[in-house]
Amino acid sequence: MSDWTLFEVFVRSKHGLNHKHVGSVHAADAAMALENARELYTRRSEGVSLWVVPSAQITASSPDEKEPLFDPSDDKVYRHATFYDLPQEVGHM
Amino acid sequence: MYAQLVDTGVKRVKTLNEMSPEERHFQEKIDADIKIEAKNWMPEAYRRTLIRQMSQHAHSEIVGMLPEKNWLTRAPNLKRKLQLLAKIQDEAGHGLYLYSAMETLGANRDEELEKLHSGEVKYSSIFNYPSRSWADMGTIGWLVDGAAIVNQVVLQRTSYGPYSRAMIRICKEESFHQRQGYQILLEMMRNGTDEQKAMVQDSINRFWWPALMMFGPHDTDSPNSAQSMQWKVKRMSNDDLRQRFIDQTIPQLELLGCTVPDPDLKWNEERGHYDFGSIDWSEFYSVLKGNGPCNKDRLKTRRNAYANGAWVREAAKAYADKHKQAAA
């Protein structure tokens, strides 16, 4: 099975949400990957749409870059709605 | 427990002070309940231990299909046959989730399967017992999957992210297994003939002690536990898990109107737990060594299945290659 391609599987659940990564499957080609993903990840109506992507095609950020990539947003509280205190009389906004 | 006696290769657990900076950083993440992901640095022994544990766990799922396969063509009616078929397919799925999670650590599935087939890597001792009657389909679902759930619920909090996520998915599906098993037994006990009731009791008699052995040796005889607990690869000790299983199971047993073959089993008001008799560990070690009633048969069936499926794998590959060339 090692000469088969590894595919990552993404499922869109019923409720119109984004496709979400659920795991991986091995398959000889993309069509077979879809069939395998269907059997493996949607046996109980978990989804209405499937994506399979060869794992090798995914570029991932490296754990070493976690700080330079994500820390800068930690001190930008003004990007969140809750940062802005408004008087009661404004009501829901 | 689907993985028993997992060797960590570590003789003594290190304290934070004895660790290298990398190891300390790793351990501090674990202590803070931050999941370890595939690309994070990890000690080699942690990686190897996880591969051993997850491959044993995955092998147990797929070998676990075999005792049930035995009754598929002899299920009492179509409804029960469909249910059993669905359960067996789930077990294959659980095996695949775990093999995938294991591969994120750089392990190779073919190589790990080869280790199963050569006998180098074990699967749970429980699957080396035969399934002699239809009642065994009920008992396996109720007791064997029940014991697995007790173990796997705790493993949802294991420190390795992909393993933990596989466990969460598996636990969601597993409660169907236990309920369908219990319902088989309940139906036989409530509406069955005397002969069918006796069949249930006989089945429980045969599976009770092997089910308790699934949790592995006593904590005092479990040399790898300390390291696995420090790494949070394991979250609860063998004896604690076993006690939890017994406490959960006995009221269900009483509702069935059955007994277990243990004269020492009784509620201990002071401890707030059931006391139970001593387990025959010589049987456990003998089964693990390969001398259980079905070890040889299980491995032979696995090897044949893999060998007889080779042409399908090769044909799929040839087909894909041909179409790739045609598209190019």
Side-chain angles (χ1 to χ4, degrees), chain B residues 67 125-131 140 206-207 209-211 213 283-284 287 292-295 298:
Chain B
S125 54
I126 192 74
F127 300 118
N128 290 313
Y129 292 87
S131 50
I140 288 174
R206 282 182 288 111
F207 275 95
W209 290 111
M213 290 176 202
E283 177 181 326
F284 172 73
V287 171
C294 299
N295 296 57
R298 298 284 185 248

Side-chain angles (χ1 to χ4, degrees), chain B residues 28 66 68 87 94 105 110 123 137 147 151 168 172-173 185 197 200 206 217 221 231 238 248 264 267 312 323:
Chain B
E28 281 165 355
L66 303 179
E68 298 185 317
K87 179 178 188 293
H94 295 176
L105 290 165
D110 291 346
Y123 51 87
M137 295 303 96
N151 173 45
I168 291 169
K172 256 190 216 160
E173 299 178 353
L185 300 182
K197 288 178 190 168
V200 172
R206 282 182 288 111
D221 299 317
W231 282 333
N238 295 353
Q248 282 177 9
D264 296 322
W267 177 251
V312 180
H323 283 260

Side-chain angles (χ1 to χ4, degrees), chain B residues 111-158:
Chain B
E111 283 170 20
E112 295 305 321
L113 275 173
E114 183 45 45
K115 287 183 199 164
L116 166 69
H117 296 156
S118 71
E120 186 187 333
V121 172
K122 305 295 181 201
Y123 51 87
S124 177
S125 54
I126 192 74
F127 300 118
N128 290 313
Y129 292 87
S131 50
R132 292 212 171 101
S133 73
W134 170 251
D136 289 359
M137 295 303 96
T139 310
I140 288 174
W142 173 47
L143 291 182
V144 175
D145 288 76
I149 290 171
V150 166
N151 173 45
Q152 292 175 153
V153 162
V154 180
L155 278 177
Q156 292 180 100
R157 296 185 292 116
T158 196

Side-chain angles (χ1 to χ4, degrees), chain B residues 69-125:
Chain B
K69 175 204 80 167
N70 194 29
W71 285 92
L72 204 46
T73 53
R74 288 176 285 165
N77 56 42
L78 184 60
K79 181 186 79 176
R80 292 292 185 201
K81 185 173 183 170
L82 286 172
Q83 291 166 352
L84 191 57
L85 204 55
K87 179 178 188 293
I88 293 174
Q89 191 188 12
D90 274 356
E91 305 299 0
H94 295 176
L96 286 171
Y97 302 152
L98 285 159
Y99 285 125
S100 292
M102 177 196 79
E103 283 170 309
T104 62
L105 290 165
N108 177 298
R109 190 181 303 194
D110 291 346
E111 283 170 20
E112 295 305 321
L113 275 173
E114 183 45 45
K115 287 183 199 164
L116 166 69
H117 296 156
S118 71
E120 186 187 333
V121 172
K122 305 295 181 201
Y123 51 87
S124 177
S125 54

Side-chain angles (χ1 to χ4, degrees), chain A residues 43-56:
Chain A
R43 287 198 302 283
R44 291 184 174 80
S45 330
E46 287 91 340
V48 292
S49 165
L50 273 173
W51 288 350
V52 292
V53 183
S55 308

Side-chain angles (χ1 to χ4, degrees), chain A residues 1-6 21-26 28-29 32 38-41 43-44 46 59-64, chain B residues 39-40 86 89-90 92-94 96-97 100 103 108-110 113 169 173 176-177 306 312-313 316-317 319-320 324:
Chain A
M1 224 180 313
S2 305
D3 51 357
W4 287 7
T5 309
L6 184 66
H21 183 244
V22 291
S24 55
V25 290
H26 286 269
D29 58 23
M32 185 182 179
R38 184 221 162 261
E39 286 301 314
L40 192 54
Y41 294 107
R43 287 198 302 283
R44 291 184 174 80
E46 287 91 340
T59 308
S61 66
S62 145
D64 308 334
Chain B
K39 287 185 170 179
N40 295 150
Q89 191 188 12
D90 274 356
H94 295 176
L96 286 171
Y97 302 152
S100 292
E103 283 170 309
N108 177 298
R109 190 181 303 194
D110 291 346
L113 275 173
R169 184 171 280 279
E173 299 178 353
F176 140 60
H177 299 179
Y306 195 69
V312 180
R313 296 190 293 276
K317 180 84 173 71
Y319 178 84
K324 225 179 277 168

